[in-house]
Amino acid sequence: MVDAYELFAELPKAELHLHIEGSFEPELMFEIARRNQVSIPYASVEELRKAYDFGNLQDFLDIYYQGMSVLLRERDFYDLTWAYLTRVNEDNVRHVEIFFDPQGHTERGVSFETAIIGIHRALEDGKAKLGISYKLIMSYLRHLSEESALETLEQAKPFLDWIDGVGLDSSEMGHPPSKFKTVFAESKKLGLKLVAHAGEEGPPAYVYEALDDIQVDRIDHGNRALEDDGLVKRIVEGGYTLTVCPLSNLKLCGVTDMKDHPLPKMLELGLRATVNSDDPAYFGGYVNQNFKAVHDAQPLSAADAVTLAKNSFSGSFLSAQEKASWLGLIDEQAAEMGATA
Ligand code: ADE
Ligand code: ZN
């Protein structure tokens, strides 16, 4: 019988929850800092990695914003995105839907254009040279005001051909989805898909708000939805996808032990859960490693591996035809490896 991890690793898959600034490996961070002549308050790559010890989401975010501050030029954003694509190519990721945080850059004087042009160029190269298709999601920082998010949407207007959706990230507690009702409605009018981090640290009420007040197409994390049976039922019946990030949950103390991670429970409940890496440079693993971390603690079946690979495409923003083609390919490849969903 094929091992579920080997199967998952070999199957084509999509990654639906990835902050490009969270894929910033310390080695590249030091290299870019050197060429931009900016200093990092750590003496070495090792010392920086040692600082990646977080008690909660905010501890991480403080370091994450500090890390991205060395990104100044278009080339920096290109190198960051290209490094991510070449790395996930090794995990057989064939489609990515990545977030970027424009306000994390514009707030410190780097233009929206600089960030998006560099990221877009690398994504196009990834498609041409690695065969990885993509969608780009611009995320609003929820610790900032809705006015700031609306300004960001204005800045995005010349680039709407390159942007597929909008998201909501950063400090969840105290910044519920309802705070961003207007900007999400405006984003929807422009034809953008809507997603939001909800239920990562925040209560089930925030997940309800993501569904009711901003009408998301997909929920990022959603772990705490499991505390409310009615909410679980609504997510299952609504066919919403959850972009689950196991190593992130462990590193940010949403779970204290992988043995308690809710992914197997989510699958059992019929939720369309997917496995993702969130901020792999900070949390210690890319997508296959995230699967392995859960599987090592709570063995998943070969059928679970196939389901998770299929969910990653079903939950994507690809067209129905593209999804059908990937699902067929996964079935074929799984059958060749002796597994079915
Ligand atoms: N920004 C980057 N990673 C994040 C996460 N896991 N939650 C909220 N905001 C983020
Ligand atoms: Zn995230």
Side-chain angles (χ1 to χ4, degrees):
M1 189 63 187
V2 62
D3 173 69
Y5 170 65
E6 273 173 44
L7 184 60
F8 185 79
E10 295 229 352
L11 288 174
K13 65 195 79 75
E15 176 150 62
L16 307 181
H17 186 151
L18 179 282
H19 303 263
I20 198 63
E21 297 90 347
S23 71
F24 204 1
E25 293 288 350
E27 290 78 5
L28 183 61
M29 196 183 290
F30 269 83
E31 187 185 319
I32 292 181
R34 201 175 316 117
R35 81 182 182 212
N36 285 344
Q37 299 182 314
V38 293
S39 68
I40 297 182
Y42 298 93
S44 64
V45 161
E46 294 70 36
E47 200 183 291
L48 178 55
R49 275 221 165 83
K50 270 201 206 118
Y52 295 175
D53 183 20
F54 316 112
N56 57 31
L57 175 58
Q58 194 59 50
D59 280 359
F60 155 69
L61 290 169
D62 293 343
I63 286 206
Y64 167 80
Y65 293 120
Q66 181 185 74
M68 72 172 77
S69 71
V70 309
L71 298 165
L72 300 180
R73 301 169 216 278
E74 193 185 303
R75 177 185 166 199
D76 305 338
F77 291 90
Y78 178 93
D79 289 349
L80 172 70
T81 309
W82 181 249
Y84 165 69
L85 292 168
T86 53
R87 175 59 188 82
V88 295
N89 193 41
E90 294 169 16
D91 278 18
N92 206 19
V93 171
R94 310 307 334 145
H95 176 69
V96 296
E97 302 196 349
I98 66 169
F99 300 117
F100 78 118
D101 283 340
Q103 292 150 296
H105 312 300
T106 53
E107 286 274 303
R108 55 189 178 80
V110 172
S111 73
F112 188 97
E113 290 91 310
T114 297
I116 197 168
I117 291 174
I119 293 168
H120 176 77
R121 196 156 55 80
L123 288 169
E124 280 291 300
D125 278 356
K127 189 162 69 174
K129 297 179 186 166
L130 306 171
I132 300 177
S133 57
Y134 69 87
K135 305 281 179 194
L136 182 59
I137 302 173
M138 150 175 117
S139 232
Y140 301 122
L141 296 184
R142 67 202 306 157
H143 68 274
L144 300 177
S145 65
E146 187 175 49
E147 288 68 44
S148 173
L150 283 162
E151 265 169 45
T152 304
L153 182 58
E154 278 307 309
Q155 292 164 354
K157 285 189 176 164
F159 301 98
L160 286 180
D161 285 351
W162 295 356
I163 302 172
D164 301 283
V166 297
L168 186 64
D169 65 1
S170 195
S171 321
E172 188 178 10
M173 295 304 279
H175 304 285
S178 53
K179 177 178 163 187
F180 297 93
K181 211 171 160 162
T182 304
V183 74
F184 271 80
E186 290 300 314
S187 303
K188 192 180 172 118
K189 279 190 208 151
L190 295 170
L192 295 163
K193 294 282 187 190
L194 311 181
V195 300
H197 285 53
E200 179 184 19
E201 280 190 342
Y206 284 23
V207 182
Y208 277 110
E209 285 193 15
L211 296 171
D212 294 330
D213 292 353
I214 62 176
Q215 298 183 357
V216 289
D217 296 294
R218 186 163 82 200
I219 299 164
D220 294 315
H221 296 288
N223 298 32
R224 290 197 59 195
L226 265 54
E227 294 169 22
D228 181 324
D229 293 344
L231 181 55
V232 169
K233 187 163 181 280
R234 173 133 182 235
I235 296 171
V236 172
E237 287 174 358
Y240 294 100
T241 297
L242 303 182
T243 63
V244 181
C245 307
L247 285 170
S248 166
N249 299 148
L250 187 70
K251 286 292 270 185
L252 303 185
C253 307
V255 295
T256 48
D257 193 310
M258 241 350 148
K259 285 195 171 68
D260 304 321
H261 194 277
L263 181 70
K265 179 82 188 163
M266 288 171 165
L267 293 176
E268 206 182 294
L269 289 166
L271 289 159
R272 191 196 277 151
T274 60
V275 172
N276 307 273
S277 68
D278 205 359
D279 301 282
Y282 292 90
F283 302 149
Y286 288 78
V287 63
N288 288 350
Q289 213 54 40
N290 272 270
F291 179 96
K292 188 170 188 300
V294 178
H295 180 54
D296 286 347
Q298 305 183 64
L300 294 161
S301 66
D304 292 334
V306 177
T307 299
L308 287 165
K310 286 176 124 179
N311 286 354
S312 73
F313 288 106
S314 323
S316 75
F317 295 138
L318 287 167
S319 69
Q321 202 178 2
E322 289 165 322
K323 288 182 191 182
S325 150
W326 281 115
L327 297 185
L329 200 71
I330 291 173
D331 278 335
E332 256 173 50
Q333 204 168 317
E336 275 168 28
M337 293 178 75
T340 47

